[in-house]
Amino acid sequence: MAEAKQAPDAYDALLDHYETVSGLGDAAGILSWDQEVMMPEGGTPARSKQKSAVSTVRHDLLTDEKVADWLDDLEDADLTDEQESVVREIRRAHERAARVPSDLVAEISEKTSEAHPKWKEAREEDDFSIFAPVLEDLIELKKEYAEHIDPDAAAYEVLFADYEPYLDLDTAERVLERLRDELVPLVEDIRESDTELADPFDSEFDVDTQEDLARDVLDALGYDWEHGRVDTAPHPFSSGTQFDARVTTRFDPEKPVDALMSTIHEFGHARYTLGLPREQYGNPLGESRDLTVHESQSRLWENHVGRSRTFWETFLPDVQERFSQVADATPEDAFEAANEVFEDNLIRVEADELTYHMHIVVRFEIERELIEGDLDVADVPEVWNDKYEQYLGIRPDTDAEGCLQDIHWSHGSFGYFPTYSLGSVLAAQIYDALEDDVGPVDEKVREGDFDVIADWLETNVHQHGARYTTPELIQKATGEEFTADYFLDYAHEKYGELYDL
Amino acid sequence: MAEAKQAPDAYDALLDHYETVSGLGDAAGILSWDQEVMMPEGGTPARSKQKSAVSTVRHDLLTDEKVADWLDDLEDADLTDEQESVVREIRRAHERAARVPSDLVAEISEKTSEAHPKWKEAREEDDFSIFAPVLEDLIELKKEYAEHIDPDAAAYEVLFADYEPYLDLDTAERVLERLRDELVPLVEDIRESDTELADPFDSEFDVDTQEDLARDVLDALGYDWEHGRVDTAPHPFSSGTQFDARVTTRFDPEKPVDALMSTIHEFGHARYTLGLPREQYGNPLGESRDLTVHESQSRLWENHVGRSRTFWETFLPDVQERFSQVADATPEDAFEAANEVFEDNLIRVEADELTYHMHIVVRFEIERELIEGDLDVADVPEVWNDKYEQYLGIRPDTDAEGCLQDIHWSHGSFGYFPTYSLGSVLAAQIYDALEDDVGPVDEKVREGDFDVIADWLETNVHQHGARYTTPELIQKATGEEFTADYFLDYAHEKYGELYDL
């Protein structure tokens, strides 16, 4: 009895303490949002110190010995399933943070501060050698970091788990290999086909009008303005909590479809966040599952909704009302424009649904070899370009358009990229389960009913927070294990039809 | 030698620790700014927890025993004058925080959370009795709080020192009594005079155009957009750091002059913040002196610049370019409109430069008696109304327009109000010293040169941060002790001339 009673005390104390940790994390999120969206440029030096103050105290609280003691007390405690999940998540966060010496954390933080401007300079100067030395240092530091967390595991595996804790790296690798093996020939077939897709959006589109349109689309998708807002930022992102989940986007006069798809993508992230249970705010049951699941939500809305024929049947009239340039376009034209497979695109963030995964595979293969010591930093540009030629049939002329295009490595993020592909793959699996459950979604979307999607996702994914591990959540939401089957079926069917293959 | 060496170690450790405390304080400032300006309404529950997390850890760090140990080590250390100032300020902050039991801090925080909606309801229902019980509780708690900080001092004195730590309450009282004794007859004379001031702004003014105008005025005053921004908020305020000091304002179609003066007022606060030394960010030498000095800066810009004849000579053409309604107005008309003494205004925030102080005197006298136990909460409305009749010659018909108009008591802020008047008084003293030093400012302002003001204030006030106590800073900047002479001379001269007395 005494034993059973002691456990819940430790549990309550742990939860109480974690609520502060969580509040600090969300406070840091607001500081970052403000920095990207609102802060005047000159504010940077103070903001860096504010963010560092918040993250330092957050780290200190998370790694506090009290936390270890409570977790020890709870080791054999008699807990409910929900409580077990809460303890599992906090334990994981605590252990990963506590195992890494503070000095190393500080060193990595300093090195990334140094790396970011070097990366920018290298990209501007189109000279990888400017970035190479600091990248080498960062790789060494991150290997050391991984070694502290789990000396028995491969370093890349440990780093990958920072972004996707529960899908193991073998699964990720299998999926990425299947994508490579099946999509490379599909893209080749598309290239060799004579089909030319329509592009009614080949002119200039006023950005203020684009913004009005984006707001109307968000409205129609059911974005809750009482708990969100949309702003522009150089790199679109979404951040916040179930009480306040914000979207940023950007507009380019020449790329109205990109802007709209990007807005819908960020809406998908925000909608996930808003679907987390409010009464669990401040503990893992009120937190989202990690990057794979998050990305599945954004991709589901972007690809399966925004890039669908039905979406354009529904929204083209709204677009035409605002832009006379597309007055003569048919929904089919617009649908084609939103799904063109680009022959010569070198840039990941501008890629279509298919070639996108090749961009990821290249990065995955390279960063894994870098971390495992099988590739020298100096050789990255050449290997990068070779792989682009091999998988995408194009070769970058410059490092700026090649291995310097992404910011991630300069942040010390290795293992992040694969979650983009895993999320897209999972989106297809979840969308299939959704249709299994509620019938064809198209008919409802045509009537402007997007709630059928949002509600199903909220019930089957969002409301669970981080209660289940990624494989458990996938099993629960879709009735089966994680698989690339649905995505590949979807890709073959959609693009086979579009390109008359 | 060993002794002398130990001191600087403790000093460095203290400074390092305090930088985190300070970063957390500024992070909390961003959370509040965001809440007032950007946050969607539904974000409140999460934001409250985030703010509470940040302020709790900040309080814990500030009251940490390590801080007490470092301060002990530094008691007899051989420090420079600047270091002495840093230690004085941190010691004061630490002691005031450490002396109050956490339970009481939490209780006050809970009680103010409860009081705020009660106050709102009471004001909406125009029924003081809704607010009275919680106000009574708050007064008791704040008396207890004061007792912990200094059991030997009068409670109101201790509370006043939360907002103005170094000007003693006797000084404040003497100044307020002089204001009352000299301004009550001056306002009576104005009422009895037959002079009617011009009011060319008696129509409707488009708020977007007002906002453009406000931005142009801020530009002309020298607001640094690299380190600031302006937004609208229901209650104008300014917040931030020397790297990022933001202004908020609000616009009413019927009150364009109010909006402009309010914008200039907040600019004055922001300009002070921006003038703090950047290299001292994160320690008291980079922090502003307290509310009296802060308010002196906002009032100087608002009253001595914005409400001056020269300002309107300079800016009226810009106003007329935007608003044809005032095409025929002369600068003298506009100057008069910006300085009308209202005969029947009951609302502090809408008061002119003279009657403003009577609004403060009423609150000062009442809150002091409440805290000292010389007045029952139940009697507040009647005493309030009597004092308005006595000092301002008008009697509120309702509590909403009377003792319920201000938010401060619902926040548990007792002792705050006097600093508004002290700041105005100090503004006149500083403005006189400025002119003593650089000659008549008018001529320069007429040429659009506001830098002469800003630069002088930066050199003589802002750059010192919190190095000097308030009386020291006043002495240093103006060459004499704090005095109401300059303000009263200014008031008699300006309003004597305006109203032909």
Side-chain angles (χ1 to χ4, degrees):
Chain A
M1 269 307 272
E3 183 69 17
K5 226 182 158 201
Q6 193 189 7
D9 276 358
Y11 183 81
D12 289 344
L14 181 67
L15 219 67
D16 198 44
H17 185 82
Y18 187 77
E19 190 172 288
T20 304
V21 174
S22 160
L24 292 172
D26 290 338
I30 293 293
L31 295 183
S32 294
W33 179 87
D34 181 85
Q35 182 165 18
E36 295 298 320
V37 183
M38 294 294 160
M39 191 186 79
E41 230 177 285
T44 309
R47 183 55 49 89
S48 303
K49 293 199 175 182
Q50 292 152 10
K51 283 164 74 174
S52 148
V54 173
S55 70
T56 303
V57 295
R58 184 186 173 279
H59 182 266
D60 290 349
L61 287 182
L62 183 58
T63 57
D64 197 304
E65 271 181 33
K66 283 186 301 191
V67 177
D69 292 343
W70 290 321
L71 289 169
D72 282 349
D73 282 355
L74 293 168
E75 196 81 64
D76 304 305
D78 186 21
L79 298 174
T80 66
D81 288 352
E82 284 206 346
Q83 289 169 338
E84 291 284 7
S85 297
V86 167
V87 172
R88 176 195 69 220
E89 293 298 320
I90 298 178
R91 185 187 302 282
R92 183 176 183 279
H94 164 77
E95 285 177 352
R96 286 180 80 91
R99 283 174 189 166
V100 184
S102 314
D103 288 358
L104 182 56
V105 173
E107 217 181 327
I108 291 173
S109 162
E110 272 165 42
K111 194 52 81 177
T112 53
S113 300
E114 190 189 319
H116 183 67
K118 285 284 175 202
W119 165 74
K120 261 185 98 168
E121 190 192 336
R123 199 169 65 150
E124 275 157 24
E125 306 281 323
D126 185 27
D127 181 355
F128 182 73
S129 73
I130 295 172
F131 182 49
V134 71
L135 176 59
E136 227 160 289
D137 292 348
L138 262 177
I139 289 168
E140 286 315 308
L141 289 170
K142 291 296 278 195
K143 282 162 80 167
E144 216 183 301
Y145 165 93
E147 173 85 13
H148 282 289
I149 291 176
D150 187 351
D152 300 324
Y156 188 72
E157 204 175 318
V158 176
L159 298 180
F160 171 70
D162 266 353
Y163 310 103
E164 174 44 62
Y166 297 109
L167 283 179
D168 59 73
L169 187 60
D170 284 349
T171 305
E173 190 180 11
R174 261 200 320 276
V175 166
L176 286 166
E177 278 175 1
R178 260 194 87 189
L179 293 178
R180 187 190 61 199
D181 296 346
E182 292 205 29
L183 295 181
V184 167
L186 177 58
V187 170
E188 271 168 16
D189 288 349
I190 288 172
R191 290 220 173 115
E192 283 160 16
S193 85
D194 291 333
T195 317
E196 281 251 344
L197 299 192
D199 185 8
F201 295 99
D202 190 17
S203 58
E204 298 247 324
F205 294 78
D206 176 65
V207 293
D208 289 339
T209 316
Q210 282 192 51
E211 188 171 341
D212 288 345
L213 175 67
R215 282 175 187 276
D216 277 7
V217 169
L218 288 175
D219 240 7
L221 299 183
Y223 188 44
D224 178 357
W225 300 101
E226 282 283 301
H227 295 93
R229 52 177 292 139
V230 64
D231 298 273
T232 54
H235 304 281
F237 67 100
S238 160
S239 75
T241 70
Q242 49 268 63
F243 290 94
D244 174 10
R246 306 177 185 184
V247 160
T248 69
T249 187
R250 63 173 166 188
F251 301 99
D252 177 334
E254 295 185 357
K255 296 176 180 168
V257 176
D258 275 18
L260 200 55
M261 293 304 116
S262 169
T263 308
I264 295 173
H265 178 99
E266 299 307 333
F267 163 79
H269 283 301
R271 186 62 187 81
Y272 180 12
T273 306
L274 289 173
L276 296 168
R278 296 219 169 117
E279 67 282 8
Q280 300 291 358
Y281 177 67
N283 83 66
L285 300 177
E287 291 172 0
S288 58
R289 197 59 286 167
D290 304 74
L291 295 197
T292 304
V293 178
H294 233 304
E295 193 72 4
S296 77
Q297 300 304 293
S298 56
R299 297 286 172 169
L300 187 147
W301 285 98
E302 178 190 350
N303 294 342
H304 297 268
V305 179
R307 297 190 197 275
S308 72
R309 187 174 271 119
T310 325
F311 177 85
W312 291 99
E313 287 167 7
T314 310
F315 277 104
L316 185 62
D318 288 8
V319 180
Q320 289 169 322
E321 222 172 80
R322 289 193 167 78
F323 294 109
S324 58
Q325 304 96 302
V326 292
D328 298 333
T330 65
E332 188 66 23
D333 293 340
F335 170 61
E336 289 186 10
N339 289 288
E340 192 191 344
V341 176
F342 303 110
E343 309 233 338
D344 53 1
N345 171 51
L346 290 160
I347 307 301
R348 179 182 62 84
V349 296
E350 296 175 0
D352 56 85
E353 270 184 283
L354 300 186
T355 57
Y356 187 84
H357 299 289
M358 300 306 98
H359 292 272
I360 296 303
V361 168
V362 170
R363 287 154 180 74
F364 169 66
E365 292 179 355
I366 288 176
E367 67 178 15
R368 188 175 184 173
E369 290 191 351
L370 281 172
I371 296 292
E372 301 302 356
D374 298 331
L375 175 65
D376 287 343
V377 165
D379 296 331
V380 166
E382 201 178 331
V383 173
W384 181 285
N385 295 351
D386 288 348
K387 284 186 190 283
Y388 264 73
E389 202 158 350
Q390 192 183 346
Y391 301 152
L392 280 149
I394 43 174
R395 193 176 181 91
D397 287 330
T398 68
D399 294 343
E401 284 195 317
C403 61
L404 287 171
Q405 68 181 267
D406 285 308
I407 202 170
H408 302 58
W409 292 342
S410 82
H411 286 160
S413 299
F414 303 94
Y416 189 123
F417 285 120
T419 65
Y420 289 131
S421 281
L422 300 178
S424 300
V425 165
L426 180 56
Q429 183 174 350
I430 290 176
Y431 194 78
D432 189 85
L434 154 70
E435 290 210 305
D436 257 4
D437 222 18
V438 304
V441 167
D442 281 1
E443 292 162 27
K444 282 160 185 162
V445 166
R446 245 177 236 119
E447 291 159 13
D449 175 13
F450 292 94
D451 288 349
V452 66
I453 307 171
D455 290 347
W456 191 92
L457 293 173
E458 181 163 323
T459 305
N460 292 281
V461 180
H462 311 171
Q463 274 297 312
H464 298 309
R467 176 166 178 184
Y468 303 108
T469 66
T470 315
E472 285 168 359
L473 182 61
I474 295 172
Q475 182 74 43
K476 206 167 162 65
T478 71
E480 50 188 327
E481 283 188 3
F482 184 44
T483 168
D485 290 349
Y486 296 99
F487 175 76
L488 288 166
D489 285 352
Y490 159 82
H492 282 293
E493 193 185 319
K494 178 173 179 179
Y495 290 90
E497 192 210 318
L498 267 165
Y499 282 94
D500 299 320
L501 301 180
Chain B
M1 270 307 270
E3 182 70 18
K5 226 182 157 202
Q6 194 187 6
D9 277 359
Y11 182 80
D12 289 345
L14 181 67
L15 219 65
D16 197 44
H17 185 82
Y18 188 77
E19 190 172 288
T20 304
V21 173
S22 160
L24 292 172
D26 290 338
I30 293 293
L31 295 183
S32 294
W33 178 88
D34 181 84
Q35 182 165 19
E36 295 298 321
V37 183
M38 294 294 160
M39 191 186 80
E41 230 177 285
T44 309
R47 183 56 49 89
S48 303
K49 292 199 177 181
Q50 292 152 9
K51 283 164 74 174
S52 148
V54 173
S55 68
T56 302
V57 295
R58 183 184 172 280
H59 183 265
D60 289 349
L61 287 182
L62 183 59
T63 57
D64 198 305
E65 271 180 33
K66 283 186 300 190
V67 176
D69 291 344
W70 290 321
L71 288 168
D72 282 349
D73 282 355
L74 293 168
E75 196 81 62
D76 303 306
D78 186 21
L79 298 175
T80 66
D81 287 353
E82 284 206 346
Q83 289 169 338
E84 290 284 5
S85 297
V86 167
V87 173
R88 176 194 70 218
E89 293 297 320
I90 299 179
R91 185 187 301 281
R92 183 177 183 279
H94 165 76
E95 286 177 352
R96 286 181 79 92
R99 284 175 188 166
V100 185
S102 314
D103 288 358
L104 181 57
V105 173
E107 218 180 327
I108 291 173
S109 162
E110 273 166 42
K111 193 53 80 176
T112 51
S113 300
E114 190 188 319
H116 182 67
K118 285 283 175 201
W119 164 74
K120 261 183 99 168
E121 190 193 337
R123 198 169 66 149
E124 275 157 25
E125 305 281 323
D126 186 26
D127 181 355
F128 182 73
S129 73
I130 295 171
F131 182 48
V134 72
L135 177 59
E136 228 160 288
D137 292 348
L138 262 177
I139 289 168
E140 286 316 308
L141 290 169
K142 291 296 277 196
K143 282 161 81 167
E144 216 183 302
Y145 165 92
E147 173 86 12
H148 282 290
I149 291 176
D150 186 351
D152 300 325
Y156 188 72
E157 204 175 320
V158 176
L159 298 180
F160 171 70
D162 266 354
Y163 309 102
E164 174 43 63
Y166 296 111
L167 283 179
D168 58 72
L169 187 60
D170 284 348
T171 304
E173 190 179 12
R174 261 201 318 276
V175 166
L176 287 167
E177 278 175 2
R178 261 194 87 190
L179 293 179
R180 185 189 63 198
D181 295 346
E182 292 203 30
L183 295 181
V184 167
L186 177 58
V187 171
E188 271 169 16
D189 288 349
I190 289 171
R191 289 218 173 117
E192 282 161 17
S193 83
D194 290 334
T195 318
E196 280 252 342
L197 299 192
D199 186 8
F201 295 99
D202 190 18
S203 59
E204 298 248 322
F205 294 79
D206 175 64
V207 294
D208 289 340
T209 315
Q210 283 192 52
E211 189 170 339
D212 288 345
L213 175 67
R215 282 176 187 275
D216 277 7
V217 170
L218 288 176
D219 240 7
L221 299 184
Y223 189 44
D224 179 357
W225 300 100
E226 282 283 300
H227 294 92
R229 52 178 291 139
V230 64
D231 297 275
T232 54
H235 303 281
F237 66 100
S238 160
S239 74
T241 70
Q242 50 267 63
F243 289 94
D244 174 10
R246 305 176 186 186
V247 160
T248 69
T249 186
R250 62 174 165 187
F251 300 100
D252 177 333
E254 295 185 357
K255 295 176 179 167
V257 176
D258 275 18
L260 200 55
M261 293 305 115
S262 168
T263 308
I264 295 174
H265 179 100
E266 299 307 333
F267 163 79
H269 282 302
R271 186 62 188 79
Y272 180 12
T273 305
L274 289 172
L276 297 167
R278 296 219 169 118
E279 68 282 8
Q280 300 290 359
Y281 177 68
N283 84 66
L285 300 177
E287 292 173 359
S288 58
R289 196 61 285 168
D290 304 75
L291 296 197
T292 304
V293 178
H294 233 304
E295 192 73 5
S296 78
Q297 301 303 295
S298 57
R299 297 286 172 168
L300 187 147
W301 285 98
E302 178 191 350
N303 294 341
H304 296 268
V305 179
R307 297 190 197 275
S308 73
R309 187 173 271 117
T310 326
F311 177 84
W312 290 100
E313 287 166 7
T314 312
F315 277 104
L316 186 62
D318 288 8
V319 180
Q320 288 170 323
E321 222 172 80
R322 289 192 167 81
F323 294 109
S324 57
Q325 305 98 301
V326 293
D328 298 331
T330 66
E332 188 65 22
D333 293 341
F335 170 60
E336 289 186 11
N339 288 288
E340 192 192 343
V341 176
F342 303 110
E343 308 235 339
D344 53 0
N345 171 49
L346 289 160
I347 307 302
R348 178 181 63 83
V349 296
E350 297 176 0
D352 55 85
E353 270 185 282
L354 299 186
T355 58
Y356 188 83
H357 298 290
M358 300 306 98
H359 292 272
I360 296 303
V361 168
V362 169
R363 286 155 179 75
F364 169 65
E365 292 179 355
I366 288 176
E367 66 178 15
R368 188 174 185 175
E369 290 193 350
L370 281 171
I371 295 293
E372 301 302 356
D374 298 331
L375 175 65
D376 285 343
V377 165
D379 297 331
V380 165
E382 201 178 331
V383 172
W384 181 285
N385 294 351
D386 289 348
K387 284 185 190 284
Y388 263 73
E389 201 158 350
Q390 193 184 344
Y391 302 152
L392 280 152
I394 44 174
R395 193 176 181 91
D397 285 331
T398 67
D399 293 345
E401 283 195 317
C403 62
L404 287 170
Q405 69 181 266
D406 285 309
I407 201 170
H408 302 58
W409 292 342
S410 83
H411 286 159
S413 300
F414 302 94
Y416 189 123
F417 285 120
T419 64
Y420 288 131
S421 281
L422 300 178
S424 300
V425 165
L426 180 57
Q429 183 174 349
I430 290 177
Y431 194 78
D432 188 86
L434 154 70
E435 290 213 304
D436 257 3
D437 222 19
V438 303
V441 167
D442 281 0
E443 291 162 29
K444 283 160 184 160
V445 166
R446 244 177 239 120
E447 291 159 14
D449 174 13
F450 293 95
D451 288 350
V452 65
I453 307 171
D455 291 347
W456 191 92
L457 292 173
E458 182 163 322
T459 305
N460 292 281
V461 180
H462 310 172
Q463 274 296 312
H464 298 309
R467 175 165 180 186
Y468 303 108
T469 66
T470 315
E472 285 168 0
L473 182 61
I474 294 172
Q475 182 75 42
K476 205 166 163 66
T478 71
E480 49 188 328
E481 282 188 3
F482 184 44
T483 167
D485 289 350
Y486 296 99
F487 175 75
L488 288 166
D489 284 353
Y490 159 81
H492 282 293
E493 191 184 320
K494 179 173 179 179
Y495 289 90
E497 191 209 319
L498 267 166
Y499 283 93
D500 299 319
L501 301 180

